[in-house]
Amino acid sequence: MNAPDQQVAADALSVPEETIVDACGDPPLPELGVIEQNWETDPIAPDDVAVHAARAVESLSFAEVPAGGEVALGVGSRGIANLPTIVAGVVEAVSDAGYKPFVFPAMGSHGGATGEGQRTMLNELGVTESAIGCEIRSTMDVVEVGRTPDRDVPVVADDTAVAADAIIPINRVKPHTDFDGPVESGLSKMLVIGMGKQRGAQIAHKWAVDWSFRRMIPEITGQLLDELPIVGGVAIVEDQHDETTLIEGVPPSGFLDREAELLETAYELMPTLPFGDLDLVIFDRQGKEISGQGLDTNVIGRRPFSINEPAPETPDIKRIFTRGLTEKTHGNAMGVGSADVVHEDVVAELDAQTSLINALTASTIRGVKLPPVVETDRAGIVAALSTIGVVDTETVRVLRAADTMHLHRLYASPALVEAARDRADLRVIEEPSPIEFDTGQLVAPPLRE
């Protein structure tokens, strides 16, 4: 669907502001100030990132790799900080050791489940052949490398990676949006789902309905380590500002145990909302490079479409209003169903085919259910606040964030600004003032510092 047609669809689905006001009344809205979370971080200096990546490779053993052999480097589609620099550092270290590196996309069905689409995603993340110094081989072809012993589930992997003399996945270790377990998002998941391309991702998500990810990923990871020339992985951990704080080479023997330890660190450093009980959170955008579910379920405390997995215990958010999609998500609105109300810009930017392919592959079609669509920001805020009971503008608890990744600075209602004054982990940056709209749209820009 072209852009004009997409806008027509958005206009047809969205409810005008005057209709919302007629239905809900014209209530006063809370003022918003700005608060900031105080985080103590120790990121790797930008000039040292490539050096740390090279050291991670140097810690791995290439004893079984023939001289001059090809080394396949798996790279995903997430918005990892310093990704091109990290990949370039790995490429240089592998080349300096006398081997021939190449990159392959290890991102399941992302990029519209096409080889060219996945190459495009890497390029837009800055992972281009010129930037990293090696070839990118992007295909959706996979080969079966075995079957699980108890359930006879086929185990598949990217054919270019399987044909290489060594494989090294490069990925960030972090909490997963769909499940809890000893290992979640990281090296092992990249092997099982990312390297399995669309077919492998679909197999994994289909079987996860009865065989949970927490059991599946460790078992299939072990099988892949036995069957393929995986010499280790490069694990990345980021801090609350989404800056690189650790790059480590993990040998095959550590893909489960060491990865579990790194996951604990990632949980400690994960950015979260500073309040556990909220009436409304406004997110300016969602996208696949922000989170696999568009809005990180660990941040919003909602997991409405996961497979046999409970939602996080906190926070408790009564209403979520999402205002748009990121450019890099290319219309993939996976997870849009987490919101209670969305702006018509979400629909105007939504690619139905890409979103549905992702949802079908992940067996989470509820994730792309479209919430009520409103014409303006003011309509979205009024609709959300008018459905939570009696609202007092001085006590209602409202936050506005750029997205679920950028949570350092937040717009906050008076009640939350007052609460922030008494907490050492928060500080008030701007006092509350009336919300400004221009033809119903928010005037104040997103906060992404």
Side-chain angles (χ1 to χ4, degrees):
M1 186 181 296
N2 58 39
D5 289 343
Q6 196 84 349
Q7 187 60 55
V8 169
D11 292 340
L13 288 170
S14 66
V15 179
E17 181 181 316
E18 61 184 25
T19 303
I20 298 295
V21 172
D22 286 345
C24 301
D26 193 4
L29 301 180
E31 297 183 342
L32 295 180
V34 178
I35 62 174
E36 184 176 87
Q37 301 202 62
N38 299 324
W39 292 323
E40 293 184 5
T41 60
D42 185 25
I44 298 172
D47 291 344
D48 295 333
V49 168
V51 174
H52 280 252
R55 288 175 183 165
V57 174
E58 291 164 2
S59 70
L60 304 177
S61 173
F62 289 77
E64 302 298 320
V65 184
E70 288 195 325
V71 179
L73 309 176
V75 180
S77 55
R78 299 291 184 241
I80 299 173
N82 301 305
L83 183 60
T85 304
I86 293 170
V87 176
V90 172
V91 167
E92 184 174 3
V94 170
S95 299
D96 288 348
Y99 305 104
K100 299 175 182 177
F102 69 89
V103 161
F104 71 97
M107 58 180 74
S109 65
H110 297 177
T114 68
E116 190 55 40
Q118 296 199 343
R119 179 186 291 273
T120 297
M121 291 198 75
L122 287 182
N123 288 348
E124 293 185 353
L125 292 171
V127 182
T128 63
E129 292 183 347
S130 60
I132 63 176
C134 78
E135 179 186 2
I136 296 175
R137 301 178 187 175
S138 184
T139 173
M140 298 303 294
D141 296 332
V142 296
V143 294
E144 185 173 311
V145 298
R147 303 183 78 89
T148 60
D150 54 345
R151 298 171 184 260
D152 196 38
V153 176
V155 177
V156 300
D158 181 289
D159 65 347
T160 60
V162 172
D165 298 294
I167 300 172
I168 301 175
I170 304 168
N171 203 16
R172 175 179 54 197
V173 175
K174 67 183 292 289
H176 199 274
T177 54
D178 292 345
F179 69 97
D180 303 313
V183 294
E184 297 179 21
S185 185
L187 301 175
S188 297
K189 178 176 174 289
M190 175 174 271
L191 290 182
V192 176
I193 297 178
M195 190 170 67
K197 314 300 278 194
Q198 197 273 341
R199 185 185 171 203
Q202 188 171 45
I203 291 170
H205 285 91
K206 184 176 293 186
W207 278 92
V209 173
D210 298 312
W211 178 23
S212 70
F213 279 120
R214 67 169 58 90
R215 291 190 294 271
M216 172 194 294
I217 287 179
E219 181 172 332
I220 296 181
T221 295
Q223 191 164 1
L224 288 167
L225 293 171
D226 289 339
E227 297 291 338
L228 299 178
I230 300 164
V231 298
V234 174
I236 305 158
V237 177
E238 295 179 352
D239 63 22
Q240 295 93 328
H241 292 288
D242 303 301
E243 296 178 330
T244 311
T245 193
L246 180 150
I247 305 174
E248 181 177 312
V250 179
S253 60
F255 264 56
L256 299 177
D257 295 340
R258 179 55 182 157
E259 193 171 349
E261 295 172 353
L262 293 175
L263 179 61
E264 292 182 8
T265 300
Y267 262 105
E268 294 171 0
L269 298 177
M270 180 181 71
T272 58
L273 295 171
F275 302 100
D277 181 14
L278 294 162
D279 294 310
L280 168 63
V281 179
I282 303 162
F283 288 107
D284 290 314
R285 60 185 200 160
Q286 71 163 69
K288 290 293 290 184
E289 83 277 21
I290 301 298
S291 170
Q293 290 293 354
L295 300 174
D296 192 324
T297 59
N298 296 292
V299 171
I300 65 175
R302 296 183 177 185
R303 199 177 274 164
F305 34 75
S306 61
I307 303 171
N308 299 331
E309 294 289 342
E313 294 183 2
T314 59
D316 180 11
I317 303 173
K318 291 187 177 71
R319 295 289 182 267
I320 292 176
F321 172 44
T322 304
R323 301 180 60 227
L325 303 181
T326 64
E327 182 178 349
K328 290 182 179 179
T329 202
H330 291 292
N332 189 335
M334 185 64 188
V336 70
S338 292
D340 299 292
V341 185
V342 297
H343 193 284
E344 69 176 18
D345 285 353
V346 172
V347 180
E349 298 159 3
L350 185 152
D351 185 315
Q353 178 173 309
T354 298
S355 301
L356 183 57
I357 288 173
N358 193 171
L360 293 173
T361 300
S363 298
T364 54
I365 53 176
R366 286 179 294 175
V368 291
K369 280 189 174 182
L370 194 62
V373 182
V374 293
E375 179 184 39
T376 68
D377 292 324
R378 187 170 182 275
I381 296 171
V382 169
L385 290 178
S386 296
T387 56
I388 62 171
V390 177
V391 172
D392 182 329
T393 57
E394 292 302 312
T395 60
V396 70
R397 299 166 68 84
V398 178
L399 285 179
R400 177 186 166 197
D403 51 59
T404 56
M405 182 183 289
H406 299 92
L407 301 174
H408 182 217
R409 286 192 172 184
L410 304 159
Y411 290 101
S413 60
L416 299 180
V417 169
E418 289 307 309
R421 297 188 202 279
D422 298 325
R423 287 177 45 174
D425 62 329
L426 297 173
R427 61 172 166 264
V428 178
I429 302 300
E430 293 181 15
E431 296 298 328
S433 61
I435 301 175
E436 292 186 39
F437 297 98
D438 181 3
T439 61
Q441 313 303 346
L442 286 166
V443 172
L447 295 173
R448 294 187 56 191
E449 290 186 57

